[in-house]
Amino acid sequence: MVNLLQTRRLQRYRMALLRLKKMGLQKTFSHSLSEETGISAVLIRKDFSQLGIRGRRRGGYNIDRLLEQLKLIFGSEKEQNVILVGLGNIGSALVKYEGYRQGNMNLVAAFDIDPAKRTRRYQVPVYSLENLRDVTDTFDVSVAIMAVPEFSAQETASYLVENGIKGILNFAPVLLKVPDHVLVNNINVMVELERLMYHTGIKQKA
Amino acid sequence: MVNLLQTRRLQRYRMALLRLKKMGLQKTFSHSLSEETGISAVLIRKDFSQLGIRGRRRGGYNIDRLLEQLKLIFGSEKEQNVILVGLGNIGSALVKYEGYRQGNMNLVAAFDIDPAKRTRRYQVPVYSLENLRDVTDTFDVSVAIMAVPEFSAQETASYLVENGIKGILNFAPVLLKVPDHVLVNNINVMVELERLMYHTGIKQKA
DNA sequence: CATAATATGTGAATATATTCACAAAGCAAA
DNA sequence: TTTGCTTTGTGAATATATTCACATATTATG
């Protein structure tokens, strides 16, 4: 019912709506949202319409109601637990990050092969991957952030999947081979930078 | 000529090719690349064809030649300089990151408003944003990584643009308003996590 | 040299996503 | 209550991306 492209947009709507709400607004219009999100007004209306969210022909959309309905669609009233694997540069940054709560998430544990990393210096307990199953069982975790080096990425991913992980946020620049029921989202800083380089380069030539 | 969708794929090809090369292979086939990248073989051939890259009707594609041609298309033989703005959690991780060189990039300086951050503890000099123009002029920088808090993101972005930045890799969860000639790429960890949550949730219900 | 096998290359068909164009609803004001 | 303006909601048209189907080139082999 809701496809991948849409989820991305829905989140943009949500973020924009939260911003507008914080500014004290109570209602909004497809055009304002468009302004705020960069998504065309028609498309916004189509999305809402398709999701069964309806506005008023002149009064626009009620922000609170909208947020509520988006929350329903995104599901997960209850907080969801996440784990983090790999405490390198990116991993350590993510363990210090404080925004999980805001997104209704909770980072419950981190994992690293290096015993030196497994100290109490971090905000969450750090374990060896051997303890993975314990943690996933205890906290009912199905999503993992994976910030491990490229060479061990596939192995780690397979291990995570074996132990019940169904969603992986992967920072390694490799295409992970996982079963169909597992979803991988990739974040690759270098790739994004290179794309910028390429396009600024093009502009110079033109 | 090369659209945004394609650049993403081209980079995947490049990464996969580098991997294959490292494994000692000299030639490859659209099917192998498909296996490696998750992109369909036909689409790969179409892409190559459209870019004027031709293989042999039976021998497949020569990896070195392919890489060379991709490099030509991506342009930028010469190293490009990048700056980093904001030394919070993510910023500090990115300043420590060592992979820029590999992508033919060079992180030349970082910026932060907090004077305490402007020490020599980091691998690159850290300045106040007042010195931005000096740095961009000296190093001919047109791309910036922006890892600043949400509330100052728009302001920072505008300032960067005023000072000649044409590409921004933005980690703040806001849609930046920039002139048409500026390209923004967003990376948002929370959004990606939420999408995973959403989809693993769906699977549970189904 | 003929034949079989393998991959590429590409026009046509299909699928997907987005915009256009406009009717219908709702509010405001005369 | 009528008129006019605004904004939603949506079928149809367009644009974009991907796959199908197959002709064509190339190599290997008997």
Side-chain angles (χ1 to χ4, degrees):
Chain A
M1 176 173 181
V2 184
N3 61 40
L4 275 187
L5 247 188
Q6 269 186 330
T7 46
R8 205 158 243 143
R9 288 206 295 269
L10 295 189
Q11 283 176 304
R12 286 224 206 155
Y13 302 150
R14 208 171 57 104
M15 290 194 329
L17 288 167
L18 289 170
R19 253 196 324 274
L20 292 174
K21 189 179 178 179
K22 211 182 285 174
M23 287 164 63
L25 297 179
Q26 303 198 336
K27 63 180 187 177
T28 188
F29 308 96
S30 57
H31 282 92
S32 326
L33 268 177
S34 171
E35 183 73 12
E36 207 68 20
T37 57
I39 296 161
S40 84
V42 201
L43 192 44
I44 292 176
R45 295 202 298 273
K46 267 250 156 83
D47 278 343
F48 286 177
S49 162
Q50 203 209 316
L51 295 168
I53 297 175
R54 315 197 68 83
R56 292 204 191 162
R57 293 268 169 159
R58 194 165 170 188
Y61 301 87
N62 176 293
I63 292 184
D64 279 328
R65 250 175 63 78
L66 251 176
L67 280 170
E68 234 169 275
Q69 293 186 277
L70 286 179
K71 194 188 243 173
L72 276 180
I73 289 156
F74 267 112
S76 73
E77 289 295 311
K78 73 165 199 291
E79 195 174 69
Q80 295 217 44
N81 293 327
V82 194
I83 56 169
L84 169 68
V85 186
L87 282 168
N89 289 335
I90 307 248
S92 341
L94 292 173
V95 95
K96 283 181 216 139
Y97 185 66
E98 315 238 306
Y100 299 102
R101 273 276 149 60
Q102 199 194 18
N104 222 19
M105 285 175 247
N106 190 211
L107 183 65
V108 291
F111 296 85
D112 201 291
I113 30 156
D114 180 3
K117 294 268 171 71
R118 301 205 283 270
T119 65
R120 257 292 179 187
R121 273 177 305 149
Y122 298 98
Q123 286 81 341
V124 296
V126 182
Y127 304 108
S128 154
L129 265 180
E130 285 163 29
N131 305 323
L132 178 62
R133 177 62 82 168
D134 290 343
V135 175
T136 54
D137 281 356
T138 314
F139 293 102
D140 187 26
V141 178
S142 61
V143 170
I145 306 172
M146 210 180 89
V148 303
E150 180 177 348
F151 69 86
S152 60
Q154 180 58 60
E155 193 190 353
T156 308
S158 303
Y159 185 72
L160 290 174
V161 171
E162 273 167 40
N163 286 280
I165 293 297
K166 294 196 190 63
I168 298 177
L169 182 55
N170 170 41
F171 282 85
V174 208
L175 179 82
L176 299 177
K177 275 159 201 161
V178 295
D180 277 351
H181 72 276
V182 178
L183 183 66
V184 177
N185 269 203
N186 296 293
I187 291 187
N188 190 326
V189 177
M190 281 304 116
V191 165
E192 300 303 324
L193 267 181
E194 279 177 38
R195 287 179 61 218
L196 285 174
M197 294 285 172
Y198 173 67
H199 284 280
T200 59
I202 290 294
K203 291 275 161 56
Q204 278 161 19
K205 284 170 205 160
Chain B
M1 177 174 181
V2 184
N3 60 41
L4 274 187
L5 247 188
Q6 269 187 330
T7 46
R8 206 159 241 146
R9 288 205 297 267
L10 295 190
Q11 286 177 303
R12 285 224 206 154
Y13 301 152
R14 208 171 58 103
M15 291 193 329
L17 287 167
L18 288 171
R19 251 194 328 271
L20 292 174
K21 189 180 175 175
K22 211 182 284 173
M23 287 164 65
L25 297 178
Q26 303 198 332
K27 64 179 186 178
T28 188
F29 308 96
S30 56
H31 282 92
S32 327
L33 269 176
S34 170
E35 184 73 11
E36 206 69 21
T37 57
I39 297 160
S40 86
V42 202
L43 192 45
I44 292 176
R45 296 204 296 276
K46 268 252 156 81
D47 278 343
F48 286 177
S49 163
Q50 202 208 318
L51 295 168
I53 298 176
R54 314 198 69 83
R56 289 203 196 164
R57 292 268 169 158
R58 196 167 168 186
Y61 301 87
N62 175 294
I63 292 184
D64 279 328
R65 249 175 64 77
L66 251 175
L67 280 169
E68 235 169 276
Q69 294 185 278
L70 286 178
K71 194 189 243 173
L72 277 178
I73 289 155
F74 268 113
S76 73
E77 289 296 309
K78 72 164 200 293
E79 195 175 70
Q80 295 216 46
N81 293 326
V82 193
I83 56 169
L84 169 69
V85 184
L87 283 169
N89 289 336
I90 306 246
S92 341
L94 291 173
V95 94
K96 283 182 216 137
Y97 185 67
E98 315 238 307
Y100 298 103
R101 271 278 149 59
Q102 199 194 18
N104 222 20
M105 285 176 247
N106 190 211
L107 183 65
V108 292
F111 297 84
D112 201 291
I113 30 158
D114 180 2
K117 294 268 172 73
R118 301 205 282 271
T119 64
R120 255 295 178 186
R121 273 177 305 150
Y122 297 99
Q123 286 82 340
V124 297
V126 183
Y127 304 108
S128 154
L129 264 179
E130 287 163 27
N131 304 321
L132 178 62
R133 178 61 84 166
D134 290 343
V135 175
T136 53
D137 282 357
T138 312
F139 293 101
D140 187 26
V141 178
S142 61
V143 171
I145 305 171
M146 213 181 88
V148 303
E150 180 176 350
F151 69 85
S152 61
Q154 180 58 60
E155 193 190 354
T156 308
S158 303
Y159 185 73
L160 290 174
V161 171
E162 275 168 36
N163 285 280
I165 292 298
K166 296 197 189 62
I168 298 177
L169 183 55
N170 171 41
F171 282 84
V174 208
L175 180 81
L176 299 177
K177 275 160 198 159
V178 295
D180 276 350
H181 72 278
V182 178
L183 183 66
V184 177
N185 269 201
N186 296 292
I187 290 185
N188 191 326
V189 176
M190 280 304 115
V191 165
E192 300 304 323
L193 267 182
E194 279 177 36
R195 287 179 60 218
L196 285 174
M197 295 284 173
Y198 173 67
H199 285 280
T200 59
I202 290 294
K203 290 273 162 57
Q204 278 162 19
K205 283 169 207 162

